[in-house]
Amino acid sequence: MTPAPDGRGANKPATPARPPRSRWWIVAVVVTLLAINLWVSSQALKPNAPIRIPYYPTFIDQVNAHNVKTVDTTVNSVTGTLATPIRYPPGDTTSPASTNFSTQIPSFANGNQLASLLEKQGVTINARAPSSGPSVLESLIFGFGPTLLLVGLFVIVARRMATGGGGGAGGLMSFGRSRARRVEANDQHATFADVAGIDEAKEELTEIVDFLRGPEKYLKLGARIPRGVLLSGQPGTGKTLLARAVAGEAGVPFFQMSASEFVEMIVGVGASRVRDLFHQAKEAAPAIIFIDELDAIGRSRAAGGPNLSGGHDEREQTLNQILTEMDGFDPRTSVIVLGATNRPEILDQALLRPGRFDRRVVVAPPDRAGREAILRVHTRSVPLAPEVDLGAIAASTPGMVGADLANLVNEAALMAAKRGHAQVHRQDLSDALERIVLGAARKVMISEADRRRTAYHEAGHAIMGMLTPGADPVRKVSIIPRGQALGVTFSAPDADRFNFDQRHLLAQIKVMLGGRVAEEVVFGDLTTGAESDIQQLTRIARHMVGRWGMSPAIGPVAVLPADGQGPLLPGVSETSEETQRLVDAEVRRIVETAHEEATRELAEHRENLDSLVAALLQNETLDQEEAYAAAGLAQGAAAGAQTALQAGEAQEAEPPAVS
Ligand code: ADP
Ligand code: MG
Ligand code: ZN
């Protein structure tokens, strides 16, 4: 479930809160406790209630005084009767006198002696075998008590949940009521102006808004408006925000519920909640029902295994109920169901059929201009220093989505406040970005030798990035340790990349090798610090050979599965061992060639390397301008124009930072 972002759009329960009617159980508990208390004290006050006395001296004394008439003993405990009542403690007149007593025989007492003493005094001895089992009452209490307690507790908790969730009326009947948050039209403050950078999705939804504003216009022409619209896109792209904005623009009530909230422990509750939700919405029509995180129940019935919360049946029943409700709509009810999911591919096909979620709106991550627009939205109420260039920030944040950017602005504002600034400065923003992208800086003691080595390693990456045609410009070099990494070199393209040409991939490999090569060139030995570099560059080289057809020896043949596709190529039998060996050889050839070139180039540019290292040791972090200046290399000298070799499927962006 997504809380109302930004604190806007105050949420209201569907019906005004009533005083809960379910106080009876508190009363019941109190009454029971009182009754138990009374019974216990009445037992103690009863005349002749057994008194507990010590074995020695009291019990032995009483025996010697001929006052004990009978004893009943099991293993070590003794109850018995006395001829004349006594009190215990002896002088205490507040406690009642009694002829019944109980005592415990210590395990070290000599049983024979006691027996002969009792016999001598003429006491009647009733020995009983140790009780062979609990009495009927006991077994009832111990057998069913805990279960009863648990059931009672469960009922109480369930009832509280049913009443507490904002679904409205209390009492047993509200158990299956929907707990949707209903937001009234005039409380809905999100509008399309709050949503930026996802213009295509916004455009597709304007039609929906128009319909909800004036359904008659459409209905007169017999037009059928889509009943269900599915927003799909990765987390944080603004799906929830967009749905709220649709309601805000249309000025209609908005019923929001996260699919996971339908699914409860008890089978059937989800379905009845769905029924109730649709019922409420129909009464309020025109209205919007928004089911967030639809994949929680809409997962393909064929694919998903049983999940922990609720299990299979419950999910299926809930899903079926949604399908039924959507089918049962009168097409003229102006209720539109919006759904959102991060994973449209796992949704049950039944959900996507006509008349259900038949309209799909993809909410894609924003491009550079989009990111700038989102930054503008989120800095509307943030005082920015004049030197802040949102365009530049947008350029250095490829891959970030709306939620990341909102977070970035917030972090920067926090940073500025902590530093006592009156405005948010460029430094605050770039520090916040660093913190988000690279993990929080950690403070540790690092030896001077380690610092120097790290500086050479990072400078090696950076110099290779500056020298190699086709490499992304170096944005930042730092030897401040973060998370696992001792330092980091961060490069990013000027524009978002959707395709990677061969030259760029080879350049990336060389840049990743740069760190290790610099260590080789300068120190002549190796450290373990280049592990992740080596992993990344090996992966790129393997993909070039096995997936992207960039090796002449293999040719344009896919011999490796894409990431996340299991070990085999779909629809193809396993590649031969010979091919595998050829792939390995080709990967090795690519990496070795790059390694030789990098070694030669770094040796040739040793002066640039040394001066960049000096600046790094001095300043720890260098931004783009400072880094190029310190290295004595011109910006843009190496970065030629990028030409994508082929259009088509966008490759996943390679991680921009090397450490
Ligand atoms: P999703 O539902 O896709 O995971 P949300 O809508 O919950 O993402 O986004 C979380 C927050 O991130 C929003 O409340 C908003 O502050 C910000 N945000 C996300 N996308 C955008 C966008 N396109 N424009 C403006 N703000 C956005
Ligand atoms: Mg969401
Ligand atoms: Zn590295």
Side-chain angles (χ1 to χ4, degrees):
M1 115 179 164
T2 316
D6 314 337
R8 278 181 264 142
N11 293 331
K12 259 207 243 166
T15 40
R18 274 189 227 167
R21 272 191 280 150
S22 57
R23 289 272 161 77
W24 64 266
W25 63 271
I26 301 182
V27 176
V29 167
V30 170
V31 166
T32 314
L33 282 177
L34 274 176
I36 291 172
N37 200 4
L38 252 146
W39 180 76
V40 167
S41 42
S42 72
Q43 285 296 306
L45 290 173
K46 235 169 40 187
N48 231 359
I51 50 171
R52 263 193 76 83
I53 56 173
Y55 173 73
Y56 183 85
T58 317
F59 173 63
I60 298 297
D61 285 352
Q62 292 297 321
V63 175
N64 286 329
H66 292 282
N67 196 24
V68 177
K69 288 202 300 198
T70 64
V71 296
D72 296 87
T73 126
T74 52
V75 184
N76 278 329
S77 69
V78 170
T79 57
T81 53
L82 302 169
T84 49
I86 60 162
R87 294 178 201 280
Y88 191 84
D92 181 5
T93 47
T94 56
S95 59
S98 174
T99 54
N100 291 316
F101 71 93
S102 71
T103 188
Q104 194 73 21
I105 303 172
S107 56
F108 52 82
N110 190 325
N112 290 337
Q113 260 179 25
L114 177 62
S116 51
L117 174 68
L118 291 175
E119 283 163 23
K120 204 174 86 191
Q121 303 295 345
V123 178
T124 314
I125 303 174
N126 295 311
R128 269 186 279 124
S131 65
S132 52
S135 71
V136 178
L137 187 68
E138 272 170 347
S139 54
L140 267 179
I141 289 171
F142 289 109
F144 292 107
T147 321
L148 278 175
L149 261 175
L150 275 179
V151 169
L153 214 79
F154 177 78
V155 168
I156 287 166
V157 168
R159 289 168 45 81
R160 309 220 72 187
M161 274 168 32
T163 43
L172 204 64
M173 299 318 290
S174 77
F175 196 53
R177 296 291 290 271
S178 97
R179 292 185 290 144
R181 286 173 298 282
R182 173 176 174 162
V183 184
E184 288 303 336
N186 39 11
D187 292 335
Q188 183 60 265
H189 297 308
T191 65
F192 277 163
D194 298 312
V195 189
I198 44 175
D199 298 334
E200 283 157 46
K202 236 158 88 171
E203 223 159 87
E204 293 206 47
L205 289 171
T206 36
E207 188 192 339
I208 307 282
V209 170
D210 202 43
F211 169 76
L212 287 167
R213 276 195 187 142
E216 310 80 27
K217 185 170 85 185
Y218 289 82
L219 296 174
K220 255 198 306 226
L221 292 174
R224 208 178 58 80
I225 277 292
R227 203 169 285 169
V229 179
L230 183 64
L231 305 171
S232 65
Q234 70 183 69
T237 43
K239 300 179 296 295
T240 308
L241 179 65
L242 199 53
R244 287 174 48 228
V246 168
E249 290 284 331
V252 299
F254 179 69
F255 295 84
Q256 178 179 0
M257 192 144 174
S258 173
S260 55
E261 290 174 74
F262 286 125
V263 185
E264 286 286 338
M265 232 86 98
I266 299 172
V267 174
V269 172
S272 82
R273 288 209 173 127
V274 170
R275 220 174 298 131
D276 188 54
L277 173 61
F278 277 77
H279 180 73
Q280 285 184 39
K282 274 184 234 172
E283 283 191 343
I288 291 177
I289 294 177
F290 177 49
I291 305 178
D292 210 351
E293 279 139 51
L294 193 61
D295 38 293
I297 39 170
R299 202 179 317 154
S300 164
R301 281 172 273 201
N307 64 356
L308 279 178
S309 63
H312 224 71
D313 285 352
E314 171 63 352
R315 245 192 28 222
E316 195 154 312
Q317 278 197 22
T318 310
L319 176 57
N320 282 336
Q321 191 62 42
I322 291 181
L323 297 179
T324 312
E325 292 289 346
M326 290 184 81
D327 286 343
F329 262 6
D330 178 345
R332 281 173 318 166
T333 338
S334 345
V335 174
I336 286 183
V337 186
L338 294 179
T341 179
N342 306 328
R343 305 157 75 194
E345 70 284 352
I346 63 161
L347 284 186
D348 200 300
Q349 284 306 308
L351 269 174
L352 306 177
R353 277 209 291 271
R356 294 163 182 174
F357 289 102
D358 48 1
R359 179 78 63 97
R360 299 269 295 269
V361 175
V362 176
V363 186
D367 60 7
R368 179 174 159 177
R371 290 195 298 271
E372 190 175 339
I374 295 174
L375 284 169
R376 283 201 197 295
V377 167
H378 286 279
T379 49
R380 275 186 308 209
S381 55
V382 175
L384 292 179
E387 90 273 8
V388 171
D389 178 3
L390 293 181
I393 298 168
S396 59
T397 50
M400 281 202 174
V401 295
D404 298 328
L405 295 168
N407 185 25
L408 169 63
V409 170
N410 188 47
E411 282 282 333
L414 290 175
M415 199 86 82
K418 206 168 67 190
R419 293 168 175 170
H421 296 169
Q423 289 172 315
V424 174
H425 291 264
R426 189 172 59 186
Q427 193 61 41
D428 302 321
L429 276 157
S430 73
D431 289 349
L433 177 61
E434 216 175 294
R435 189 144 151 194
I436 291 168
V437 174
L438 309 170
R442 105 187 131 159
K443 289 201 178 72
V444 282
M445 293 299 292
I446 293 180
S447 74
E448 199 47 42
D450 276 345
R451 268 188 90 222
R452 215 169 98 81
R453 204 178 250 279
T454 306
Y456 269 103
H457 182 101
E458 297 308 329
H461 286 309
I463 296 279
M464 282 318 296
M466 295 174 188
L467 289 176
T468 313
D472 291 330
V474 175
R475 304 290 183 182
K476 178 161 248 163
V477 193
S478 167
I479 56 166
I480 298 175
R482 284 176 192 83
Q484 291 296 305
L486 289 172
V488 71
T489 303
F490 182 68
S491 330
D494 287 323
D496 290 354
R497 272 176 203 285
F498 293 106
N499 239 318
F500 294 93
D501 59 70
Q502 194 170 352
R503 192 178 63 144
H504 176 252
L505 293 169
L506 286 171
Q508 267 192 315
I509 293 179
K510 275 168 77 174
V511 172
M512 285 173 182
L513 279 167
R516 175 195 160 100
V517 169
E519 290 188 62
E520 283 169 6
V521 168
V522 175
F523 300 96
D525 66 349
L526 294 171
T527 58
T528 54
E531 181 175 343
S532 79
D533 293 340
I534 291 174
Q535 273 174 7
Q536 287 187 42
L537 70 91
T538 310
R539 188 170 151 259
I540 296 177
R542 275 186 78 77
H543 285 183
M544 286 175 70
V545 174
R547 283 176 60 195
W548 301 331
M550 290 176 180
S551 136
I554 301 282
V557 177
V559 293
L560 288 178
D563 286 344
Q565 263 189 16
L568 294 180
L569 277 174
V572 178
S573 63
E574 203 169 350
T575 47
S576 71
E577 220 169 279
E578 202 183 323
T579 310
Q580 292 292 342
R581 220 171 293 140
L582 198 53
V583 170
D584 290 342
E586 279 295 283
V587 168
R588 192 156 310 217
R589 184 184 61 79
I590 288 176
V591 174
E592 266 166 18
T593 312
H595 186 258
E596 273 161 33
E597 284 175 21
T599 309
R600 199 184 60 240
E601 284 164 27
L602 277 186
E604 275 169 18
H605 290 85
R606 179 64 195 265
E607 273 170 36
N608 306 89
L609 185 65
D610 287 341
S611 71
L612 180 54
V613 165
L616 267 178
L617 289 173
Q618 175 76 34
N619 298 321
E620 297 207 319
T621 301
L622 302 175
D623 67 18
Q624 186 166 354
E625 253 111 79
E626 293 166 336
Y628 279 88
L633 291 170
Q635 279 192 59
Q642 304 294 326
T643 45
L645 286 183
Q646 78 260 56
E649 176 198 13
Q651 308 293 359
E652 67 274 273
E654 300 296 338
V658 286
S659 47

